[in-house]
Amino acid sequence: MGFGCGAGDLFSLEKLERDGCVEYRFSSTRWLITTAEIHMRTQVGIIGAGPAGLFLSLLLQRIGIESVVLELHSRQYVEERIRAGVLEHGTVQLMRELGIGERLNKQGLEHGGIELRFGGRGHRIDFRELTGGKSVTIYAQHEVIKDLIAARLKAKKPIIFEAQDVSVDGLGGDTPSINFRANGVAEKLECDFIAGCDGFHGVCRTSIPSEALTIYDREYPFGWLGILAQAPPSSHELIYAHHDRGFALLSMRSPEISRLYLQCEPDEDIAQWPDARIWEELHKRFATTDGGKLTEGPVIQKGVTGMRSFVTEPMQYGKLLLAGDAAHIVPPTGAKGLNLAVADVRVLAQALGDFYENGKTQILERYSDICLRRVWKVQRFSWWMTSLLHRFADASAFDHKRQVAELDYVTSSRAAAQTLAENYVGLPMEFYE
Ligand SMILES: Cc1cc2nc3c(=O)[nH]c(=O)nc-3n(C[C@H](O)[C@H](O)[C@H](O)COP(=O)(O)OP(=O)(O)OC[C@H]3O[C@@H](n4cnc5c(N)ncnc54)[C@H](O)[C@@H]3O)c2cc1C
């Protein structure tokens, strides 16, 4: 089992022998080790070292609450997984507050707006002007993950990578636990609470009896073919392009690396898309009447992503609290998935803080209701951006005209542009008593 670095990098632990067991203390987390099974105890067991789980661990650490993070994959895998790239204003501020803003400050690309391109012309939505100075920052999710892991390990707090066969138990009682295997050894982590931060395909949501949950689900009849290209971005800011051939998005990861997406079939065969075909299609969808050009470069990664909207209600069951993609999925058009995961765990950390510090359960009991208010607003925005910009195969001529009229309205009415801007930079966080 690797505490921290995945490959057996064990920090020095305090060792106490008693009652036939060896007890290891790691801060206030205890491992009771017998020959057959290892028992551990912590306050909050966190399943998943994605943005939700890792941000939660740091937020809890800041207020003196102990946690153990369990992750299915290796450290290298999670630090290299290519995903989101747009951080809301509040997510950036939180990283700075948590003391993990150093690389973000150097490498993050702050954007004060986006371009909506349709009818061959670009229209800028000026976030700073429309939101009282707010912006978004382009900083890849895997870089955020590296910063979070480094901070957690620097504080000598445990992350158990490559945890196998993770399951949860005793959710309705006082001592829920997480069972898992590490290096072939069966282990049990006893906790006060379990945070289910294990993403859409994790085990936490599916451990809740189905009759206790209501699921809201919508699949879209298209996907995104995404590439990373070794090419300087052709625009300083993101371009969302509406085109008769389908939607396209120009984004970036750094001044040298472009991230580009094309609307495609949900089950598109990537083998049918050699690089030359991808560039040809991108050129068509981003074409402007003034002859603006896309910069090409070697494609270093490509893949197809499906699009869905998904919400689980409630987001808690007994001592299990779901956060992030484990509870909800948004289509990526609004760039919200990572940011919504962060918003959930901010509420969760506040609720747990109130419980441990003041013995109060009011916020904990309302955790799901509090989160779902924001979740549904973000669902609405992500659905709206998706509907505004994509080509729907069954759309009538009327639908098409209405869609273009809406783009025209959003880019010509201050009120409409402001609605887009305040949602894109992130709705304010609300805190509860
Ligand atoms: C192509 C793409 C582009 C995106 N673009 C954006 C964007 O621009 N902006 C944005 O905000 N969001 C974006 N998103 C969404 C964003 O990446 C996710 O919403 C975000 O990763 C959710 O974080 P999470 O921690 O809830 O879940 P995850 O990141 O999925 O983390 C869950 C973790 O749990 C682990 N795990 C799973 N099962 C188990 C188990 N049984 N035991 C232990 N661990 C387990 C997983 O390995 C993973 O590390 C994008 C997503 C994709 C796919």
Side-chain angles (χ1 to χ4, degrees):
M1 163 172 52
F3 297 102
C5 294
D9 180 19
L10 194 66
F11 286 111
S12 57
L13 305 174
E14 188 189 346
K15 182 179 171 187
L16 305 163
E17 289 193 35
R18 54 161 207 182
D19 302 334
C21 293
V22 181
E23 176 178 331
Y24 288 92
R25 283 182 191 274
F26 191 109
S27 302
S28 65
T29 306
R30 294 180 296 131
W31 278 262
L32 289 175
I33 301 182
T34 64
T35 46
E37 200 178 51
I38 300 179
H39 293 267
M40 300 177 251
R41 166 135 198 95
T42 190
Q43 291 175 307
V44 184
I46 301 176
I47 306 183
L54 291 168
F55 266 104
L56 178 63
S57 72
L58 261 63
L59 286 163
L60 295 180
Q61 205 172 301
R62 182 166 71 159
I63 51 176
I65 298 173
E66 286 300 323
S67 66
V68 173
V69 181
L70 293 167
E71 165 59 44
L72 175 63
H73 291 291
S74 68
R75 178 177 182 182
Q76 184 180 356
Y77 181 90
V78 296
E79 288 190 343
E80 290 177 359
R81 190 167 42 194
I82 302 293
R83 284 196 165 173
V86 180
L87 305 184
E88 286 180 359
H89 192 79
T91 303
V92 170
Q93 280 183 324
L94 179 65
M95 286 184 68
R96 291 181 180 144
E97 272 173 39
L98 289 170
I100 54 167
E102 198 182 321
R103 289 193 325 125
L104 167 79
N105 291 339
K106 284 193 196 129
Q107 296 171 25
L109 306 172
E110 190 180 343
H111 286 188
I114 55 168
E115 179 182 320
L116 295 183
R117 187 173 288 183
F118 58 99
R121 288 189 52 223
H123 308 258
R124 184 165 188 263
I125 306 289
D126 187 335
F127 294 157
R128 287 201 187 90
E129 199 267 320
L130 292 162
T131 65
K134 290 186 182 164
S135 58
V136 293
T137 298
I138 307 303
Y139 187 64
Q141 179 168 328
H142 64 279
E143 302 296 343
V144 177
I145 294 290
K146 282 182 202 164
D147 295 334
L148 290 162
I149 290 176
R152 173 99 182 146
L153 298 184
K154 192 172 169 208
K156 299 202 178 336
K157 301 291 180 189
I159 305 174
I160 300 175
F161 290 105
E162 297 173 67
Q164 303 292 313
D165 302 332
V166 174
S167 64
V168 293
D169 212 2
L171 299 179
D174 285 338
T175 50
S177 58
I178 305 173
N179 299 304
F180 63 103
R181 299 182 75 78
N183 285 345
V185 180
E187 311 194 15
K188 189 184 191 80
L189 174 63
E190 291 174 355
C191 331
D192 298 335
F193 298 96
I194 298 174
C197 302
D198 52 350
F200 186 67
H201 299 289
V203 294
C204 290
R205 187 183 64 252
T206 51
S207 304
I208 301 175
S210 56
E211 61 276 14
L213 296 180
T214 305
I215 303 291
Y216 301 86
D217 198 5
R218 163 179 293 212
E219 284 193 37
Y220 295 84
F222 39 73
W224 279 11
L225 191 162
I227 61 164
L228 268 184
Q230 213 146 20
S234 314
S235 158
H236 167 58
E237 293 176 340
L238 271 67
I239 302 175
Y240 286 80
H242 171 273
H243 195 278
D244 288 348
R245 298 179 68 85
F247 167 73
L249 172 62
L250 184 154
S251 179
M252 60 288 293
R253 286 293 177 268
S254 70
E256 297 82 34
I257 306 284
S258 296
R259 181 85 166 129
L260 295 129
Y261 297 96
L262 285 170
Q263 177 183 348
C264 63
E265 294 301 316
D267 54 355
E268 192 76 52
D269 179 6
I270 194 80
Q272 302 303 313
W273 287 85
D275 298 355
R277 183 180 172 203
I278 295 175
W279 285 113
E280 192 187 338
E281 191 62 32
L282 285 166
H283 283 295
K284 285 180 185 159
R285 296 193 195 180
F286 285 111
T288 56
T289 46
D290 63 8
K293 286 269 175 283
L294 272 186
T295 318
E296 288 193 26
V299 174
I300 50 180
Q301 199 246 9
K302 60 181 165 184
V304 172
T305 313
M307 311 262 289
R308 77 186 311 159
S309 303
F310 178 95
V311 181
T312 309
E313 289 194 10
M315 288 169 56
Q316 64 196 104
Y317 178 77
K319 295 292 180 76
L320 173 65
L321 301 125
L322 302 176
D325 279 14
H328 41 70
I329 294 282
V330 285
T333 328
K336 290 290 165 213
L338 181 158
N339 297 295
L340 194 53
V342 174
D344 287 349
V345 296
R346 291 180 84 156
V347 177
L348 185 50
Q350 199 206 347
L352 291 167
D354 207 32
F355 172 77
Y356 283 110
E357 207 176 313
N358 308 316
K360 291 187 181 168
T361 57
Q362 283 89 334
I363 308 179
L364 257 183
E365 283 160 14
R366 289 165 51 229
Y367 166 71
S368 178
D369 293 343
I370 294 171
C371 288
L372 284 167
R373 280 191 66 202
R374 186 183 187 92
V375 167
W376 277 110
K377 283 183 216 162
V378 170
Q379 286 289 356
R380 184 209 66 81
F381 176 67
S382 303
W383 163 85
W384 176 76
M385 284 284 281
T386 304
S387 312
L388 179 70
L389 290 158
H390 288 74
R391 195 176 66 81
F392 286 76
D394 60 354
S396 63
F398 177 90
D399 295 330
H400 179 72
K401 290 274 186 189
R402 185 203 49 74
Q403 197 180 34
V404 174
E406 191 160 7
L407 281 161
D408 188 9
Y409 177 57
V410 169
T411 51
S412 58
S413 152
R414 180 180 170 82
Q418 197 164 26
T419 300
L420 190 162
E422 74 168 356
N423 280 276
Y424 201 98
V425 300
L427 296 172
M429 279 301 297
E430 293 173 36
F431 289 93
Y432 296 84
E433 301 281 321

